[in-house]
Amino acid sequence: MRQIIFDTETTGMNFNSRDKSEGHRIIEIGCVELIDRRPTENYFHQYINPEQTIDPDAVRVHGITNERVAGEPTFAAILKDLLTYLDGADELIAHNMPFDQSFLNREFKLAKAGFKLEDRFPLTDTLQLAKNKVPIAKHNLDALCKYYGIDNSNRSLHGALLDSQLLAEVYLRLTTEQSGFDFAATAAAQTTTPTETIMTTTSANSGSWQRISISSEEAAAHQAYLEKIRQ
């Protein structure tokens, strides 16, 4: 089974509309792959130029500025790569899935993709899973990490890839109390350059390499995360 856990960051949200994505765009997407409930190092991570201004309130949440994404590709430009990565997934998983789902569907519509996320993939909302299972007052990602004893000390701001990694750990605990991340086992397979990281999957059925372009800052942040959880 191939499951993709993902998260998005956006220019903001429309508090006055039932559709929170109305008038807003995605500026970052991060995806983590699970094969047979085991994490691989096959990630998808991309900053996106939303072609509009990011709300100041949103910047305070995720720290992504207009200047940071000004030189990034548009969503339409990365859509083919994203769909190639998602192709063959048995399930997509997100925390508060309706939020991310609405933003992706808005981007699909603007890119004239001709379909919605739910047309192609089964969707699972970990927020709803947590509300049904975990007896705490709040069920946001920070609260669930605290409940399950998952170290999220690197999460001073929201970030799509880090949040997806944390959510993968939460999801495995939510569904079987399993802790699935073992980054140390695959860290030796990583090769980092100033402009990109090449990562390989760790599933028994795949030895293929996946090339993902990321900045040197993102590569350094990811390596710091790996070192921290190996301590």
Side-chain angles (χ1 to χ4, degrees):
M1 173 181 283
R2 182 172 187 256
Q3 298 166 297
I4 302 297
I5 294 177
F6 75 95
D7 182 55
T8 63
E9 300 298 341
T10 71
T11 59
M13 69 175 74
N14 191 332
F15 292 95
N16 299 317
S17 173
R18 183 176 180 180
D19 180 0
K20 302 305 180 187
S21 70
E22 186 177 330
H24 286 281
R25 305 290 299 273
I26 293 174
I27 57 174
E28 184 189 12
I29 184 165
C31 306
V32 171
E33 179 187 65
L34 301 181
I35 299 290
D36 296 331
R37 295 182 56 81
R38 300 298 301 176
T40 77
E41 290 288 335
N42 181 17
Y43 303 140
F44 182 94
H45 182 222
Q46 180 67 58
Y47 288 101
I48 298 165
N49 183 342
E51 303 177 286
Q52 67 181 61
T53 302
I54 304 170
D55 283 358
D57 287 343
V59 175
R60 283 189 280 272
V61 172
H62 48 57
I64 303 171
T65 63
N66 296 293
E67 293 75 18
R68 172 62 186 83
V69 296
E72 298 295 339
T74 64
F75 187 89
I78 65 101
L79 178 57
K80 181 178 179 180
D81 288 342
L82 175 61
L83 293 177
T84 297
Y85 176 84
L86 295 178
D87 185 48
D90 298 292
E91 180 181 24
L92 302 188
I93 301 164
H95 202 63
N96 192 11
M97 175 63 80
F99 178 88
D100 297 284
Q101 180 182 355
S102 68
F103 274 89
L104 279 170
N105 283 341
R106 174 172 167 77
E107 294 290 356
F108 292 158
K109 182 177 181 180
L110 291 172
K112 297 180 172 56
F115 58 85
K116 294 183 177 181
L117 193 67
E118 59 269 27
D119 295 336
R120 293 199 169 189
F121 305 99
L123 307 178
T124 294
D125 182 7
T126 51
L127 178 58
Q128 193 58 51
L129 286 178
K131 286 181 176 180
N132 292 337
K133 182 176 181 180
V134 181
I136 54 178
K138 294 183 178 180
H139 295 87
N140 58 42
L141 189 54
D142 285 334
L144 290 169
C145 285
K146 182 177 180 180
Y147 178 81
Y148 284 116
I150 297 167
D151 183 8
N152 66 339
S153 56
N154 280 354
R155 190 180 186 255
S156 58
L157 293 169
H158 289 254
L161 184 56
L162 176 58
D163 283 4
S164 294
Q165 291 172 324
L166 292 172
L167 182 58
E169 183 77 355
V170 167
Y171 169 76
L172 293 171
R173 302 286 185 92
L174 270 172
T175 49
T176 63
E177 302 299 329
Q178 169 194 0
S179 177
F181 279 103
D182 184 12
F183 291 115
T186 54
Q190 297 184 43
T191 303
T192 303
T193 71
T195 58
E196 67 181 10
T197 297
I198 302 173
M199 306 175 192
T200 183
T201 65
T202 58
S203 67
N205 297 324
S206 176
S208 62
W209 291 86
Q210 301 290 329
R211 184 179 297 271
I212 305 170
S213 296
I214 62 176
S215 69
S216 57
E217 292 85 358
E218 293 155 8
H222 178 68
Q223 187 62 33
Y225 180 79
L226 296 177
E227 293 297 331
K228 185 174 184 61
I229 65 175
R230 285 202 293 268
Q231 294 175 357

